[in-house]
Amino acid sequence: MSSDRDLIIDTTTRVAWYADQRRWDDIPGLFAEKVILDYTSLTGGEPATVTPAEIAGSWKTSLENLDATQHLVSNYLVELDEDGTRAIATAQFLATHLLANEQGGPTWTLGGHYRWTLHRVDHTWKIDSMTMTATWASGNQQIMTLAAERHRQT
């Protein structure tokens, strides 16, 4: 039987795996009914409260028209509360995005860390908040705009 730590790491790893494999329909099952999503280190503004379907839709819009992505997540730290129903997980990430284009380099790579809060639902863990803190980037961020333009054209 898997430990809670293993189940938590598995849940958060699936977020990256499903995004890279374009498994949009599997993403919502990882999240609670409402999720606080915080990308403010990259985009500014305020964290948003969204549904799992909105997360999957947003990621599909921004990622599906790239040639490829690879989100590597490692160096996990997991803390469980005393009654074992809530947890905080943190991990480092490296996210590479690829899009061949005529306007610059084909890659944009982002590094930093994630912080998730999760709660137990029966024998699974659901993510109720996800904070991505970008600490560095390299390459052509413009490929994300080009991919969004491709999405609008389809």
Side-chain angles (χ1 to χ4, degrees), residues 14-153:
R14 285 177 189 277
V15 171
W17 179 261
Y18 291 166
D20 288 339
Q21 298 302 311
R22 310 302 195 251
R23 290 175 55 177
W24 312 122
D25 292 340
D26 293 326
I27 288 170
L30 302 171
F31 292 94
E33 290 181 19
K34 292 288 184 181
V35 182
I36 299 170
L37 197 59
D38 184 349
Y39 289 131
T40 57
S41 72
L42 184 63
T43 61
E46 297 294 324
T49 301
V50 296
T51 67
E54 289 170 327
I55 293 170
S58 173
W59 292 354
K60 181 178 180 181
T61 298
S62 63
L63 299 178
E64 79 175 347
N65 288 298
L66 292 169
D67 295 334
T69 58
Q70 185 176 44
H71 293 79
L72 302 176
V73 186
S74 67
N75 299 342
Y76 276 90
L77 300 174
V78 176
E79 299 175 27
L80 289 161
D81 69 0
E82 288 185 22
D83 67 4
T85 61
R86 303 221 23 99
I88 297 172
T90 57
Q92 301 286 8
F93 78 87
L94 180 66
T96 302
H97 309 78
L98 177 67
L99 180 66
N101 68 90
E102 297 176 6
Q103 300 175 347
T107 59
W108 178 52
T109 303
L110 190 63
H113 62 274
Y114 284 111
R115 180 183 187 276
W116 300 273
T117 62
L118 305 94
H119 68 276
R120 181 194 303 277
V121 176
D122 297 320
H123 299 289
T124 64
W125 287 88
K126 300 289 183 180
I127 299 166
D128 46 33
S129 76
M130 181 171 149
T131 301
M132 186 272 295
T133 302
T135 56
W136 64 271
S138 177
N140 183 5
Q141 186 175 358
Q142 180 67 16
I143 67 171
M144 301 307 290
T145 302
L146 296 172
E149 289 171 3
R150 282 187 183 178
H151 178 78
R152 284 191 290 279
Q153 294 171 358

